[in-house]
């Protein structure tokens, strides 16, 4: 289905304003309308909270400010960030899309290709997972602060949320329909949604490693989010969910699943959504330098901690200050420790942890600190049970598109 792109509100105001001015009609009225025309989140995606940050009005890219994100253990659909590279026709709403009439094709290196109507997914045992959904561009804006600015949406920390997904496991569906994936030839699972690019850009799709047990065992063909049919904008009626993988790999509006020997050559798999395998000099290495051998896709999420309180720039009273936030990784092992420093990393205090029910969830941390008057920097970093930690200077992982930011979180507060 091709999306009828339509004009966004600002464009509309500009054009009608221009036409009106040309004709000499009520120019003052149109000028007022033009000044007020920056659309709010609810005008970009129907049902969203107007307090979300609007990054892109045409496809719909919305960020959740931390002061709203921290209010909920499960991010409500009205507050969850949105990242659309392209949109399903009629998909810019929180309303659901019916399962009936929605088909998923399973093709490629398989013995029996299958075409399944989404209604059949309800008949399988249902698996529910609570997990962090995070854009691999989340935190991209910090590369500008610690290294060199990169292209792309300058996300702060709000390109993430905690979500609950439910549906049958992909492996159960494959078994029931006797699909029989040819192994070991089939090394990648490529998912393509029914959304289509509006312009000349290549279609959005991604390949995941079928050799990874976290894909084979945990992949879900989700039909519910947060206990309801998936809102259209979040990929309903069926979304591929792979806990622990970056949001981009959780392909929305799933229409086709292909088993293949090679990663897709699609523009969104290479050079987009990749990072170099070795450190590169900021500004010297560019997107066109990526090959399949010198880079990898945004698959497993890197370990990260984000401070929810106090917030950057906040004024706090001297004395006891509770530093709070969340830490998470790819869910392969639990978070082992979250450490907090107020002396630029010379000494560290260990925070108390409250893990989630599964390793794919946020682990909450809290550290009581005694702060003296003045400007104070608070640094936080997480370490997991595999010893994977956050770099104190996240800028060391600079990459041309600014993916996978995971530097120690550093905020400044004024203590008075
Ligand atoms: N079909 C499709 N799936 C997609 C995308 C898309 O544009 N089309 N965007 C991806 C990206 S980059 C992210 S971060 C997440 C965002 O999910 P959300 O909008 O539900 O928060 O969806 C991913 N899945
Ligand atoms: Mo993303």
């Amino acid at each position: 289905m091709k999306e009828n792109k339509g004009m966004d509100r600002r464009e509309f105001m500009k054009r009608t304003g221009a036409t009106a001015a040309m004709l000499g009609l009520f120019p003052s009225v149109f000028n007022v309308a033009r000044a007020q025309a920056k659309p709010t989140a609810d005008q970009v995606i129907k049902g969203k909270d107007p307090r979300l940050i609007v990054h892109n009005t045409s496809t719909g890219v919305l960020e959740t400010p931390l002061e709203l994100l921290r209010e909920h253990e499960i991010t409500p659909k009205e507050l969850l960030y949105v990242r659309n590279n392209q949109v399903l026709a009629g998909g810019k709403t929180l309303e659901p899309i019916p399962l009936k009439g929605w088909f998923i094709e399973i093709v490629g290196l398989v013995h029996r290709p299958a075409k399944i109507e989404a209604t059949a997914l309800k008949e399988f045992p249902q698996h529910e997972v609570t997990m962090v959904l995070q854009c691999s561009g989340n935190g991209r804006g910090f590369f500008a602060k610690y290294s060199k600015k990169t292209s792309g949406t300058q996300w702060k920390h709000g390109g993430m949320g905690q979500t609950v997904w439910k549906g049958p496991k992909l492996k159960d569906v494959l078994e029931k329909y006797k699909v029989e994936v040819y192994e070991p030839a089939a090394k990648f699972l490529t998912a393509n949604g029914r959304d289509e690019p509006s312009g000349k850009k290549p279609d959005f799709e991604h390949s995941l490693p079928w050799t990874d047990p976290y894909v084979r065992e945990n992949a879900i063909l989700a039909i519910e989010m947060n206990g309801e049919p998936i809102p259209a904008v979040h990929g309903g009626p069926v979304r591929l969910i792979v806990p622990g993988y970056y949001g981009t790999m959780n392909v929305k509006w799933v229409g086709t699943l292909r088993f293949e020997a090679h990663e897709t050559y699609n523009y969104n798999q290479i050079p987009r959504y990749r990072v170099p395998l070795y450190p590169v000099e900021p500004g010297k290495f560019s997107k066109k330098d990526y090959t399949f051998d010198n880079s990898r896709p945004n698959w497993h999420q890197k370990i990260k901690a984000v401070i929810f309180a106090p917030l950057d720039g906040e004024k706090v009273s001297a004395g006891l200050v509770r530093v709070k936030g969340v830490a998470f990784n790819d869910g392969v092992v639990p978070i082992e420790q979250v450490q907090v420093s107020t002396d630029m990393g010379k000494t560290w205090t260990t925070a108390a942890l409250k893990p989630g029910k599964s390793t794919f969830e946020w682990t909450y941390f809290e550290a009581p600190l005694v702060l003296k008057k003045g400007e104070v920097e608070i640094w936080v970093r997480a370490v997991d049970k595999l010893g994977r930690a956050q770099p104190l200077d996240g800028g060391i992982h600079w990459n041309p598109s600014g993916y996978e930011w995971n530097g120690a979180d550093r905020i400044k507060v004024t203590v008075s």
Side-chain angles (χ1 to χ4, degrees):
M1 279 177 280
K2 264 276 185 281
E3 188 209 1
N4 186 356
K5 202 178 168 218
M7 276 183 271
D8 70 26
R9 205 171 121 87
R10 193 173 10 186
E11 187 62 21
F12 177 76
M13 289 302 178
K14 215 160 71 193
R15 290 199 196 165
T16 50
T19 314
M22 227 160 58
L23 301 173
L25 298 170
F26 326 110
S28 59
V29 175
F30 280 100
N31 283 341
V32 170
R34 194 157 44 183
Q36 297 170 340
K38 189 169 167 23
T40 48
D42 53 319
Q43 291 167 327
V44 178
I45 312 274
K46 196 169 151 254
K48 284 289 174 182
D49 191 301
R51 294 170 296 174
L52 298 186
I53 301 158
V54 178
H55 284 301
N56 175 312
T57 56
S58 63
T59 59
V61 179
L62 308 174
E63 173 166 1
T64 317
L66 285 187
E67 56 266 42
L68 301 181
L69 188 65
R70 67 183 182 183
E71 294 299 312
H72 309 270
E73 274 189 39
I74 303 299
T75 313
K77 62 182 176 189
E78 294 81 5
L79 291 181
L80 184 62
Y81 85 98
V82 173
R83 195 337 178 190
N84 286 334
N85 286 275
Q86 54 190 49
V87 209
L88 183 79
K92 288 159 94 175
T93 171
L94 290 184
E95 297 295 321
I97 294 173
L99 293 169
K100 196 158 173 47
W102 187 275
F103 290 88
I104 297 151
E105 291 181 73
I106 307 179
V107 296
L109 294 171
V110 298
H111 189 56
R112 290 179 203 82
K115 187 172 178 180
I116 303 160
E117 188 166 12
T119 43
L121 299 177
K122 285 173 105 169
E123 311 307 322
F124 286 85
Q126 302 292 300
H127 291 268
E128 191 180 85
V129 62
T130 302
M131 58 169 227
V132 180
L133 183 76
Q134 183 196 207
C135 181
S136 56
N138 194 30
R140 177 182 289 128
F142 299 112
F143 281 108
K145 191 169 166 191
Y146 295 99
S147 177
K148 191 175 165 57
K149 190 176 173 185
T150 74
S151 61
T153 301
Q154 298 297 300
W155 297 95
K156 292 183 173 176
H157 284 307
M160 69 162 175
Q162 183 148 265
T163 45
V164 185
W165 301 92
K166 195 166 155 184
K169 288 204 172 187
L170 173 59
K171 65 171 189 178
D172 291 347
V173 174
L174 296 176
E175 199 184 303
K176 163 88 194 287
Y177 289 93
K178 300 189 168 58
V179 171
E180 283 181 43
V181 178
Y182 288 135
E183 286 168 8
K187 293 200 161 52
F188 296 91
L189 167 66
T190 301
N192 189 298
R194 293 204 179 280
D195 50 332
E196 284 193 17
S198 44
K200 286 206 176 82
K201 284 187 194 166
D203 194 19
F204 179 91
E205 65 177 26
H206 270 309
S207 300
L208 292 93
W210 189 241
T211 47
D212 179 0
Y214 280 76
V215 177
R216 298 168 71 108
E217 291 300 315
N218 301 338
I220 289 174
L221 290 176
I223 51 176
E224 281 187 17
M225 183 186 104
N226 296 357
E228 294 174 21
I230 305 174
V233 74
H234 293 298
V238 184
R239 181 169 189 171
L240 177 68
I241 287 293
V242 181
Y245 271 60
Y246 279 107
T248 194
M249 297 294 157
N250 292 261
V251 174
K252 308 198 259 192
W253 311 300
V254 167
T256 313
L257 296 171
R258 307 193 314 260
F259 287 91
E260 292 172 326
H262 198 283
E263 277 178 65
T264 173
Y265 285 65
N266 180 287
Y267 172 69
N268 289 292
Q269 184 82 1
I270 185 167
R272 290 192 85 209
Y273 294 105
R274 294 185 92 80
V275 292
L277 287 173
Y278 51 84
V280 295
E281 199 178 325
K284 291 279 151 54
F285 185 96
S286 80
K287 251 163 79 170
K288 64 175 172 20
D289 297 320
Y290 280 128
T291 65
F292 283 109
D293 295 329
N294 71 8
S295 63
R296 60 166 179 80
N298 299 154
W299 282 338
H300 280 243
Q301 293 190 98
K302 279 159 75 171
I303 187 167
K304 181 185 252 182
V306 174
I307 304 171
F308 277 179
L311 290 172
D312 190 31
E314 206 174 296
K315 290 185 174 61
V316 299
S317 308
L320 181 67
V321 174
R322 290 182 194 282
V323 178
K324 297 181 194 179
V326 294
F328 57 99
N329 60 1
D330 57 3
V332 171
V333 291
I335 299 295
E336 168 87 350
Q337 219 176 64
V338 175
Q339 305 163 338
V340 184
S341 175
T342 52
D343 56 9
M344 311 293 205
K346 283 202 273 298
T347 61
W348 296 86
T349 303
T350 304
L353 300 185
K354 184 174 157 272
K357 283 193 287 296
S358 95
T359 52
F360 300 112
E361 297 179 29
W362 282 331
T363 288
Y364 284 87
F365 68 82
E366 181 171 334
L369 297 179
V370 176
L371 299 183
K372 293 197 192 106
K373 283 185 184 164
E375 297 280 305
V376 179
E377 278 203 31
I378 303 174
W379 294 11
V380 171
R381 69 167 178 200
V383 187
D384 71 18
K385 286 210 192 295
L386 279 174
R388 297 177 299 182
Q390 296 177 260
L392 293 186
D393 174 5
I396 63 167
H397 291 310
W398 184 92
N399 61 90
S401 310
Y403 293 122
E404 302 192 359
W405 169 266
N406 85 327
D409 200 17
R410 306 189 195 178
I411 62 159
K412 259 189 206 139
V413 295
T414 307
V415 187
S416 54

